Amino acid sequence: MKRETWGSRSNFIFAAIGSAVGLGNAWRFAGQVYQNGGGAFLLPYIIAIFAIGIPVLMMELAIGKKYRLGAPSAFAAMNKKFEWIGWAGVIIAFIVAAYYSTLVAWVVNYIFASFTMAWGADPAGYFNNTVLQLSGSPGQLGGFSLPVLIGLLITWLVVIFAMRKGVEKMAKLVKWIVIIPVIILIIMCIQAVSMPGAADGIRYYITPDWSALGNFDVWRAAFGQVAYSMSILFALMITYGSFLEKGSDIPKDSIVIGLSDMGISLLAGFVVFSTLGYLSFQSGVPIDEMNYQGVMLAFVTYPQALSVFPGGQIVGVIFSLLFFIMLFALAIDSLFSIVQAVSTAFSDKFRLPPRKALYITCAACAALSLLFATNAGLYWLDIVDHFVNDGNLLFMGIFETIAIAWLFGINKLREFINSTTTIKIGRWWNVLLKYVCPVAFLVLAASFLYSNIRTPYAGYEQQYLFIGGWVLVIVTFVLALIIPKLTGRKKETGEALS
């Protein structure tokens, strides 16, 4: 079967930016900044973009392009013993798709709620009690939240409808989906920075606390944020690379994608922290004492600010709609890419038609996402996200860079990249992938293990962290070792490029 392609360079660029730019930029990035010393987080983040983000992105796109296969089959084509690394990435992507779709479902609810600003004067109560119907602990699953279930149904129908005709059709749709949130972000930034107190929020955002740079948790959070935000280390960009044309210029495209991802994150940070500054001005509570983090920034903090926006109800409704439509646009194309990575892997391995693999993937992910639609869904989403993004992606970074840079041979991949680019990458790329990346991932993974063994994450009981965290990490890599043994292609063959 002939491999699909993007159809044009612009289709690929917009699709890859759409994959990289998502909720991780709009709320997760700002949450990481807030939790890790304000401006102190920005320096490790920018270093991580250039030290691991763009170099690893080049590596993964090159693997996909060279072998014209999804991640597991591409790794197997390099060396049969590497196939499990690709499956580990696919399993991580599968888990992320399940809980990421739940985040999109929350956004869907808030789009409808924006018409009346249904959260009123109590955004936290609306989020916890009306939307999530939150229980008291992870052990109290209770029933399902009907609003979240409806949001999930809408989300998965959109995914299937948008992706059913293949990557080229999807990419043409994503072009518009990527442009819309950038325009909205610019409008919102202009509004946010003009509000009273915004300058204090911006100052908190860009002023570093130098003492925080000695904390490994800050560096681990920055590197994890870059991996999560740029969609590297969990099969996505290898899959996207497999649909590239022969003459694609990987270094140029990687730089455009990486800088776009960073730029949109930084822009979203100005919106969020200007808004925090305004809330601080209104309430008299210092920014560093607000205790806003994670999803609360998107679903509590911003709605709270909208409730007291200058201009009254009409202005509040307009900016509510803009904000949550922006979040939906950012999130849905990222979800497309995550699902594409999983469905392509199974299509390649088990010789399934792409559309059939897509339907099976969506059904399986939707089934797993039901856990996060229970009354304890927020707790489990928080635990799983922490262990997947702060833990599993770091372990993946170790395995992937060692396998490719040391065992396969980074020179062969660099020569392949340089054969179709006007920007030749030099030996500095070898150094980053052979030494800097593995050492950084190893040190940060050790820090992750130490801090999580020593102190229970977010104060959760150990039994829940064991089930939703440690078991998840172990199962990811055990399944990755088992799946290659299952019957698939007799020989891993794509349309490999020399």
Side-chain angles (χ1 to χ4, degrees):
M1 184 185 297
K2 183 174 174 60
R3 192 74 169 181
E4 291 182 277
T5 66
W6 293 109
S8 70
R9 183 187 179 215
S10 64
N11 280 358
F12 164 66
I13 290 289
F14 277 103
I17 291 173
S19 171
V21 176
L23 291 178
N25 303 73
W27 66 263
R28 196 177 191 277
F29 170 78
Q32 293 293 332
V33 173
Y34 186 85
Q35 294 172 59
N36 292 284
F41 179 83
L42 296 183
L43 180 59
Y45 170 76
I46 292 170
I47 290 173
I49 286 281
F50 290 100
I52 67 161
I54 293 175
V56 172
L57 177 61
M58 288 184 194
M59 178 185 75
E60 293 193 338
L61 290 176
I63 293 167
K65 177 185 171 185
K66 181 175 177 63
Y67 294 104
R68 314 279 295 191
L69 292 164
S73 298
F75 273 104
M78 281 189 282
N79 186 320
K80 190 64 181 175
K81 294 179 180 179
F82 293 170
E83 184 179 351
W84 71 271
I85 299 174
W87 281 113
V90 169
I91 293 166
I92 291 170
F94 176 80
I95 296 166
V96 172
Y99 73 75
Y100 200 86
S101 63
T102 312
L103 293 170
V104 182
W106 298 350
V107 175
V108 169
N109 277 275
Y110 271 78
I111 290 174
F112 290 109
S114 294
F115 287 99
T116 60
M117 297 180 68
W119 49 83
D122 185 16
Y126 178 80
F127 180 58
N128 290 326
N129 302 324
T130 303
V131 177
L132 302 185
Q133 299 170 14
L134 192 63
S135 67
S137 77
Q140 298 174 357
L141 291 179
F144 292 104
S145 163
L146 183 59
V148 178
L149 284 178
I150 293 171
L152 277 172
L153 176 62
I154 293 171
T155 298
W156 285 111
L157 287 176
V158 170
V159 170
I160 291 171
F161 177 80
M163 296 183 65
R164 74 192 192 287
K165 291 189 177 179
V167 296
E168 185 176 353
K169 296 286 187 184
M170 180 191 73
K172 290 178 179 178
L173 175 64
V174 167
K175 275 188 179 181
W176 294 101
I177 297 177
V178 169
I179 292 170
I180 290 169
V182 174
I183 295 171
I184 294 175
L185 259 180
I186 292 170
I187 294 170
M188 293 179 62
C189 190
I190 293 170
Q191 163 70 12
V193 299
S194 65
M195 294 189 299
D200 291 332
I202 294 171
R203 194 175 298 113
Y204 183 90
Y205 175 43
I206 63 175
T207 303
D209 173 6
W210 297 112
S211 63
L213 294 179
N215 185 345
F216 266 124
D217 288 345
V218 175
W219 288 89
R220 188 179 69 240
F223 277 64
Q225 172 64 23
V226 167
Y228 178 81
S229 177
M230 288 187 65
S231 300
I232 55 175
L233 301 176
F234 54 115
L236 274 65
M237 286 305 175
I238 294 177
T239 302
Y240 269 32
S242 74
F243 303 120
L244 284 172
E245 300 281 2
K246 183 176 182 179
S248 302
D249 193 323
I250 288 175
K252 279 186 179 179
D253 293 349
S254 298
I255 291 168
V256 170
I257 295 163
L259 293 182
S260 297
D261 180 74
M262 181 177 71
I264 292 173
S265 288
L266 295 174
L267 177 62
F270 278 101
V271 173
V272 170
F273 282 93
S274 295
T275 304
L276 284 177
Y278 174 66
L279 280 177
S280 177
F281 174 81
Q282 287 282 327
S283 64
V285 178
I287 294 172
D288 58 358
E289 295 179 14
M290 286 182 166
N291 196 32
Y292 291 123
Q293 54 187 310
V295 296
M296 295 302 175
L297 282 168
F299 298 102
V300 175
T301 306
Y302 201 77
Q304 182 179 344
L306 289 165
S307 299
V308 292
F309 252 26
Q313 178 85 2
I314 294 176
V315 172
V317 168
I318 291 171
F319 277 93
S320 295
L321 284 169
L322 285 175
F323 180 68
F324 289 108
I325 289 171
M326 176 198 71
L327 287 188
F328 180 80
L330 287 172
I332 200 67
D333 49 13
S334 292
L335 185 56
F336 293 161
S337 68
I338 301 169
V339 170
Q340 187 72 61
V342 180
S343 65
T344 298
F346 281 97
S347 176
D348 288 343
K349 175 69 174 178
F350 299 105
R351 293 174 288 180
L352 296 172
R355 187 175 291 191
K356 184 176 182 180
L358 170 67
Y359 293 157
I360 293 171
T361 298
C362 288
C365 286
L368 180 57
S369 68
L370 293 177
L371 169 64
F372 307 109
T374 64
N375 299 149
L378 176 63
Y379 305 123
W380 289 109
L381 190 151
D382 185 31
I383 292 169
V384 171
D385 176 69
H386 173 69
F387 278 86
V388 167
N389 287 299
D390 288 353
N392 267 356
L393 289 185
L394 294 173
F395 302 140
M396 277 297 298
I398 298 169
F399 300 136
E400 193 171 295
T401 52
I402 289 176
I404 295 167
W406 286 95
L407 303 179
F408 172 72
I410 196 64
N411 274 328
K412 288 185 281 187
L413 205 57
R414 183 164 66 91
E415 289 169 4
F416 174 74
I417 294 172
N418 283 341
S419 66
T420 57
T421 181
T422 56
I423 303 177
K424 308 295 183 184
I425 54 174
R427 293 191 177 275
W428 57 267
W429 190 67
N430 297 37
V431 172
L432 286 175
L433 290 172
K434 287 188 74 171
Y435 304 105
V436 175
C437 289
V439 169
F441 288 132
L442 184 61
V443 170
L444 294 169
S447 169
F448 171 83
L449 291 172
Y450 175 77
S451 64
N452 281 273
I453 290 171
R454 184 181 180 188
T455 306
Y457 169 66
Y460 291 114
E461 293 181 40
Q462 287 287 9
Q463 58 183 324
Y464 304 127
L465 295 176
F466 179 74
I467 296 169
W470 299 113
V471 168
L472 186 66
V473 172
I474 294 168
V475 167
T476 295
F477 294 101
V478 169
L479 282 178
L481 291 168
I482 292 173
I483 294 175
K485 310 297 183 185
L486 303 178
T487 302
R489 294 173 179 266
K490 291 183 179 179
K491 185 178 180 181
E492 303 292 349
T493 58
E495 302 167 45
L497 304 176
S498 58

